[in-house]
């Protein structure tokens, strides 16, 4: 089903005259997960986001589906229990973008260490037990184990040998966060949902009894304001949850969120060679853990965790962030000698942590565990990653907090509340489908043999003239939707400055993925800006030119789009920060 600028126009026109069952405000992974379940259940559903889908927190993660083994140290066993089981579920419903990738956890004898060789084995055993990695489970081949210092250094020669005692190895998963959001959104659209980016909620509307009846919204592409009528409104705006609640004149205004900032830096693998995902204590006695992850010939590492009170839409990497990470990385990998100049790209994201119990709400439960575990503490890294599901007196539902890994379980909890509300207040009954069996768009193949299935899909691309590497990259990004791209490659000619593979992928993305700007495509539909800096100078102008033709942009719009793209690339490459350091400011 087409999902483009043209379908957007028609769906907005239809939406103005429709009574929805559910309106979701927020198009990150949480809102996307709810939208898929609601649409699959047959609810008249719409989702709006003021940015591109997943442009906030959900495209700025560590790009892993992991259970958070470090939370066991804080005794967040329930949070870990639910999220660690979800890794396999997410791999099943999104097999083209979620791959098992065992994690190496080096153990150092240092002050403030998160784990010792003894405690890491206990934690890994519990981690595996909670995930069901035991007995006849097909995941048993990934059961955890420990290795000694010599074996750890054999695997990662750049690791600092000083005070290294050994390492643990346990199962976690790599993931493409922004595409996971998008594939949920696309599937929800296929199921009949209306999915709209660049639409901002400006006011929650009420009926004569003071109950929520929809929202006043603004189309940020056209400037038009209009009303969306809905029986239930669900706020899934992540870090913006408080701002959405502020548009509700009858809801509590007490702040619920405690946003914190985390950053990641990307360097070439020739500067820091990490053969497998690695996770270790910061060594700074701050309770933080650091990831180093190999990807597409690059290595990225993070993350920081600091309270944040700035612009939620545009968090930036500060020199203090860079210094913090480089100091840790250069101690753990002393031969790397990384500096700011080695950083090729970066990203900063905001975690939507739930800070404290909200007063004046009718209901409040943890959307994952069923218990409230919100609570403020002094250190950002000590705040629980649990979620909060609340229903205000006027009916506004807010789903906040949590982690990318547990998005489906959070959506389950929210959908139970939505179904109850529609049944009790509107005499509408819906039967939910098993969300663990709803494949996202592109996931229609055997997840138990994902690698073989993707190889077979890629063969079709080779047959239409793409190289083996190009065909495999498209299969991995788009899964079963790669067939659509390969069919386009049969009839298209390469655009100026683009390969046939890139031309076909861009063509598909414009027609089927609601790609509305070069930044959408180069940052979130693909990872050109983050992990393909070497070829960006050639690809970006060509993408801009093709999109200008597709949308029939005039010179003024092209200039606006170019500035936006340049700003995003410069921010990712830390151009201004590097210039300030060079100038001695």
């Amino acid at each position: 089903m087409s999902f483009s600028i043209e379908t957007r126009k028609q769906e907005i026109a239809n939406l103005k005259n429709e009574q929805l069952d559910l309106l979701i405000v927020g198009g990150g992974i949480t809102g996307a997960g709810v939208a898929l379940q609601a649409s699959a259940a047959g609810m008249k559903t719409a989702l709006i986001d003021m940015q591109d889908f997943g442009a906030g927190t959900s495209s700025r993660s560590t790009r892993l589906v992991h259970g958070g083994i470090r939370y066991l140290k804080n005794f967040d066993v329930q949070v870990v229990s639910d999220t660690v089981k979800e890794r396999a579920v997410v791999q099943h419903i999104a097999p083209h973008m979620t791959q098992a990738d065992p994690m190496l956890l080096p153990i150092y004898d240092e002050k403030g260490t998160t784990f010792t060789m003894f405690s890491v084995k206990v934690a890994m055993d519990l981690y595996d037990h909670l995930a069901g990695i035991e007995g006849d489970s097909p995941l048993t081949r990934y059961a955890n184990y420990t290795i000694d210092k010599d074996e750890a250094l054999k695997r990662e020669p750049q690791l600092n040998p000083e005070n290294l005692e050994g390492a643990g190895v346990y199962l976690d998963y790599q993931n493409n966060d922004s595409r996971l959001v998008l594939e949920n959104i696309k599937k929800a659209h296929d199921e009949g949902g209306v999915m709209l980016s660049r639409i901002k909620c400006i006011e929650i509307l009420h009926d004569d009894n003071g109950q929520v009846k929809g929202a006043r919204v603004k189309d940020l592409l056209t400037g038009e304001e209009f009303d969306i009528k809905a029986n239930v409104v669900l706020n899934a705006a992540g870090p913006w949850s408080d701002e959405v609640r502020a548009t509700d004149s009858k809801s509590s205004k007490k702040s619920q969120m405690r946003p914190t900032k985390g950053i990641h830096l990307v360097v070439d693998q020739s500067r820091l060679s990490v053969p497998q995902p690695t996770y270790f204590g910061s060594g700074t006695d701050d309770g933080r853990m650091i990831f180093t992850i190999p990807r597409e010939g690059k290595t990225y590492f993070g993350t920081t965790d600091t309270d944040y009170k700035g612009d939620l839409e545009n968090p930036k990497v500060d020199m203090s962030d860079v210094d913090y990470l480089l100091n840790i990385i250069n101690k753990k990998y002393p031969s790397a000698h990384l500096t700011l100049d080695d950083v090729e790209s970066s990203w900063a994201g905001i975690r939507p942590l739930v800070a404290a119990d909200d007063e004046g709400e009718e209901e409040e439960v943890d959307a994952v565990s069923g218990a409230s575990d919100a609570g403020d503490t002094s250190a950002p890294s000590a705040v629980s990653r649990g979620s909060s599901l609340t229903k205000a007196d006027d009916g506004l539902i807010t789903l906040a907090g949590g982690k990318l890994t547990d998005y489906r379980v959070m959506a389950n909890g929210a959908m139970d509340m939505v179904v109850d509300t529609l049944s009790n207040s509107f005499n509408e009954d819906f039967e939910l489908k098993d969300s663990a069996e709803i494949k996202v768009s592109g996931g229609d193949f055997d997840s138990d043999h994902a690698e073989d299935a993707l190889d077979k899909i890629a063969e079709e691309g080779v047959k239409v003239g793409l190289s083996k590497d190009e065909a495999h990259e498209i299969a991995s990004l788009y899964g079963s939707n790669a067939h659509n791209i390969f069919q386009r490659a049969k009839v298209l000619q390469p655009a100026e400055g683009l390969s046939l593979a890139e031309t076909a992928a861009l063509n598909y993305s414009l027609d089927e993925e609601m790609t509305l700007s070069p930044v959408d495509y180069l940052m979130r539909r693909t990872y050109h800006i983050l992990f393909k800096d070497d070829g960006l100078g050639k690809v970006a102008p060509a993408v801009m030119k093709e999109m200008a033709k597709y949308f029939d942009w005039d010179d003024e719009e092209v200039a606006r789009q170019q500035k936006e793209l340049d700003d995003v690339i410069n921010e990712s490459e830390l151009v201004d920060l590097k210039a300030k350091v060079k100038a001695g400011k």
Side-chain angles (χ1 to χ4, degrees), residues 296-316:
E296 300 186 43
K298 310 294 180 182
T299 299
Y300 67 93
F301 47 88
T303 178
T304 57
D305 197 7
T306 53
D307 282 310
Y308 184 74
K309 300 185 183 300
D311 180 7
L312 294 175
E313 195 170 339
N314 191 33
K316 295 184 182 297

Side-chain angles (χ1 to χ4, degrees), residues 113 166 170 283 304 333 408 413 542:
T113 186
Y170 65 95
T304 57
Y333 302 94
R408 187 195 64 88

Side-chain angles (χ1 to χ4, degrees), residues 143-370:
N144 78 81
Y145 57 94
T146 58
I147 57 177
D148 62 18
K149 175 179 179 178
D150 290 341
E151 178 61 26
L153 291 173
K154 183 178 179 181
R155 293 191 184 194
E156 289 201 24
Q158 281 191 285
L159 273 175
N160 190 343
E162 187 177 354
N163 297 322
L164 176 65
E165 296 190 328
V169 181
Y170 65 95
L171 176 63
D172 260 333
Y173 293 76
Q174 285 211 37
N175 173 257
N176 186 320
D177 55 2
S178 54
R179 288 207 62 86
L180 182 62
V181 175
L182 185 66
E183 301 291 32
N184 273 272
I185 291 286
K186 287 161 61 181
K187 183 67 171 184
H189 185 260
D190 288 346
E191 294 283 350
V194 176
M195 305 289 113
L196 298 170
S197 60
R198 274 80 172 188
I199 299 283
K200 183 176 183 178
C201 173
I202 56 177
E203 181 186 358
I204 298 297
L205 303 176
H206 301 87
D207 62 20
D208 293 340
N209 296 317
Q211 292 298 295
V212 169
K213 69 170 186 178
R216 183 77 174 171
V217 302
K218 182 175 183 178
D219 185 342
L220 299 183
L221 294 186
T222 66
E224 179 188 17
E225 294 185 10
F226 59 94
D227 292 344
I228 299 177
K229 299 180 286 293
N231 293 334
V232 178
V233 177
L234 185 141
N235 171 13
W240 290 269
S241 293
D242 285 342
E243 294 188 10
V244 172
R245 291 163 73 242
T247 69
D248 181 0
S249 61
K250 298 185 182 300
S251 181
S252 169
K253 300 302 184 294
K254 182 179 178 182
S255 177
Q256 183 185 29
M257 306 308 296
R258 180 182 176 177
T260 66
K261 184 179 75 170
I263 76 148
H264 295 78
L265 305 177
V266 182
V267 299
D268 193 79
Q269 215 163 61
S270 64
R271 297 293 294 116
L272 180 60
S273 179
V274 180
Q276 72 182 100
T278 305
Y279 190 41
F280 48 80
S282 68
T284 62
D285 198 21
D286 63 359
R288 291 294 303 152
M289 298 284 288
I290 304 297
F291 291 98
T292 54
I293 314 288
R295 193 158 198 156
E296 300 186 43
K298 310 294 180 182
T299 299
Y300 67 93
F301 47 88
T303 178
T304 57
D305 197 7
T306 53
D307 282 310
Y308 184 74
K309 300 185 183 300
D311 180 7
L312 294 175
E313 195 170 339
N314 191 33
K316 295 184 182 297
V317 175
D318 300 319
M319 196 62 217
S320 59
D321 301 322
V322 176
D323 286 340
Y324 173 82
L325 285 181
L326 290 184
N327 176 60
I328 293 169
I329 292 298
N330 284 327
K331 285 183 178 178
K332 286 295 188 287
Y333 302 94
S335 64
H337 303 296
L338 296 180
T339 69
L340 176 62
D341 288 337
D342 290 306
V343 177
E344 295 184 354
S345 59
S346 66
W347 65 89
I350 304 300
R351 297 180 187 85
L353 302 185
V354 180
D357 292 344
D358 192 9
E359 297 175 355
E361 304 292 327
E362 292 180 345
E363 300 180 46
E364 179 169 11
V365 297
D366 188 284
V368 175
S369 68

Side-chain angles (χ1 to χ4, degrees), residues 485-504:
I485 297 174
F486 296 149
Q487 289 302 308
R488 292 167 188 259
K490 284 184 177 180
V491 298
L492 290 172
Q493 293 297 316
E496 182 181 351
L498 297 178
S499 66
L500 176 59
E502 193 78 69
T503 301

